[in-house]
Amino acid sequence: MKRGSITFLKSAVFIIAIVILSLCIFALPSLAGYTASTYPEFAFLKYPVLIGLYFSAIPFFFALYQSYNLLDVIKNKKAFSELGVMPLRHIMVCAITISVLYVIGIIILAVLNALHPGIAIIGITIMFSSLIIAYFSAVLQHLLSSAIELKSENELTI
């Protein structure tokens, strides 16, 4: 892979991190305040929902960090080693964690009878997107592990 495309991907990961961090800092609190003032019967959920969203941002940023690390491994031409498998495993775990957090949040909101259909659709979309990312990471991790195994077998062959 060319260094220019790796640099482009690294900058894309960095821009995604900046945008999501900005949304977490500026947009989420103001949106929560607006929603609490518009629907005062659900104002008690303002801080629990914000905390849940911030908890789901933690594995998201860790997964971005791991994807940045994976790009470094690819740049150093060590993708077919255990260094290439570990970030994929971490990304898979982060994606599953995000899905679990959203399932818990949807269940809590449904029990409190505060699950608006729009919120449910957004939550389910994020949950299934995370599961697709987890599955894709698991498949890539398995393929990379198989390639590493074949490479080590070929190195032992005379």
Side-chain angles (χ1 to χ4, degrees):
M1 193 173 229
K2 294 182 181 177
R3 292 207 187 271
S5 45
I6 291 177
T7 305
F8 172 74
L9 289 173
K10 280 184 174 183
S11 61
V13 167
F14 186 72
I15 289 170
I16 290 170
I18 295 297
V19 168
I20 298 300
L21 185 63
S22 299
L23 287 174
C24 285
I25 292 172
F26 300 114
L28 279 180
S30 64
L31 184 63
Y34 172 75
T35 305
S37 65
T38 305
Y39 303 102
E41 63 271 14
F42 298 119
F44 69 97
L45 291 172
K46 175 182 175 181
Y47 292 112
V49 169
L50 269 176
I51 290 170
L53 290 173
Y54 287 139
F55 273 134
S56 69
I58 293 169
F60 176 79
F61 284 115
F62 186 68
L64 281 180
Y65 173 72
Q66 290 301 318
S67 63
Y68 193 84
N69 284 346
L70 182 61
L71 289 171
D72 273 339
V73 168
I74 293 170
K75 178 180 162 187
N76 295 332
K77 300 187 190 267
K78 297 186 185 219
F80 292 105
S81 67
E82 197 61 34
L83 293 173
V85 175
M86 290 306 293
L88 289 171
R89 184 174 297 135
H90 291 302
I91 290 169
M92 179 187 66
V93 170
C94 288
I96 291 171
T97 303
I98 291 170
S99 292
V100 167
L101 287 173
Y102 273 87
V103 166
I104 291 169
I106 287 173
I107 289 171
I108 289 172
L109 288 176
V111 166
L112 293 174
N113 203 17
L115 187 61
H116 186 275
I119 294 173
I121 290 171
I122 292 170
I124 290 170
T125 302
I126 292 171
M127 183 180 64
F128 281 121
S129 299
S130 295
L131 287 176
I132 289 169
I133 291 170
Y135 183 74
F136 187 69
S137 296
V139 168
L140 285 178
Q141 176 187 344
H142 177 72
L143 288 174
L144 192 57
S145 297
S146 297
I148 292 169
E149 209 173 285
L150 283 172
K151 181 182 170 191
S152 65
E153 286 177 11
N154 285 342
E155 288 174 354
L156 295 176
T157 306
I158 296 177

